[in-house]
Amino acid sequence: GRVSLDRPPDSAPAAPAMNVVYWPNIALAKPELLAALGAVDGVRLRVVASVDELVAQLPDTDGVVMANPSEPQAIAIAAAMRAPNRVRWVHLVSAGMDGIVHCGLPAHVVVTHTPGATANAVGDHALALLLALMRRLHVALELQRAGRWSQREAVRGVTSIEGATVVVLGHGGIGRYLCRVLDACGARLRVVSRRLPEGAGPAGAFTFEHLGEALDGADALIVAVPLSELTAGLVDEAALRRMRAGALVVNVGRGPVIEREGLLRCLADGQLGGAGLDVTDPEPLP
């Protein structure tokens, strides 16, 4: 018989096309991602501008690239992925994955992410929040908006990182970066992690079970852990009350890591002198 071939007999079989949808819900490395995905043989890349556009593409999509979505967005995406489709891979261009993995994705969908991609930037933001609280910039801003100046009000309670006891909860990319920077600023560091962090020194290293001990008399706490069954509500009111009166809290991890009502009570009665919250519970705040 005669065989009809679309290609020469000695050529390799063509790789099956893979349809990838990229939703740049944050602009992190967007040009680089477009160039990298577009350069992969066999990838058909489509860029969408919204959750609705992403969901509409899913029936004919093999892979999705995006940043960690908000909870409502994640619920909509996960629901669409449970309908008939070809999706088998989701990549998040962010360290956090909690927005999507807890929303009921089909078991066969592999989720990958990019830990450390924004570690230094998030660490800078945590440091900025801590410095703003220590130098009471919010008070100066309120005075400015009121069109008056009171040096006494502006400097009351001003503190410095140098010599302060700072607890860093989390020893991933963000935590390690913060430890380097805070150490250079002269802070007395205590590091808390799921496993005993290496290189933190025996006196300054604690596991989650000993968070309260780490917080005893501390001047500041920076939360930089992801949300999980182990970390949800880890920083409760009892833990916060082991810090010195007027201590400061910064959260660049996830809102529910700090128990909300306990945080509010500690702020209301002065146990905490301030909180710098890049993340909240709920999010966004009502």
Side-chain angles (χ1 to χ4, degrees), residues 86-212:
R86 291 167 40 183
V87 178
R88 60 183 187 273
W89 170 60
V90 173
H91 181 74
L92 303 173
V93 291
S94 51
M97 297 194 300
D98 52 285
I100 194 73
V101 298
H102 301 310
C103 291
L105 286 181
H108 68 273
V109 176
V110 175
V111 180
T112 57
H113 67 137
T114 314
T118 58
N120 292 11
V122 176
D124 287 345
H125 193 65
L127 189 64
L129 290 170
L130 181 60
L131 283 168
L133 290 170
M134 284 184 157
R135 308 309 298 176
R136 292 173 59 81
L137 298 187
H138 57 291
V139 175
L141 182 59
E142 289 170 359
L143 291 170
Q144 182 188 49
R145 285 174 172 167
R148 66 186 186 87
W149 182 247
S150 167
Q151 185 171 352
R152 179 178 297 179
E153 291 180 58
V155 302
R156 185 188 299 125
V158 165
T159 58
S160 174
I161 287 180
E162 185 177 13
T165 298
V166 181
V167 178
V168 178
L169 176 55
H171 202 240
I174 299 169
R176 290 192 298 272
Y177 175 79
L178 281 169
C179 286
R180 293 197 301 272
V181 175
L182 291 167
D183 181 63
C185 291
R188 294 192 293 264
L189 285 171
R190 299 174 187 171
V191 184
V192 184
S193 185
R194 183 162 59 95
R195 301 184 186 90
L196 201 63
E198 297 179 3
F206 303 82
T207 57
F208 286 169
E209 292 81 3
H210 299 282
L211 173 62

Side-chain angles (χ1 to χ4, degrees), residues 241 261-274:
R241 293 198 180 278
E261 297 304 323
L263 173 65
L264 292 174
R265 284 191 290 269
C266 288
L267 286 167
D269 66 19
Q271 167 60 28
L272 292 177

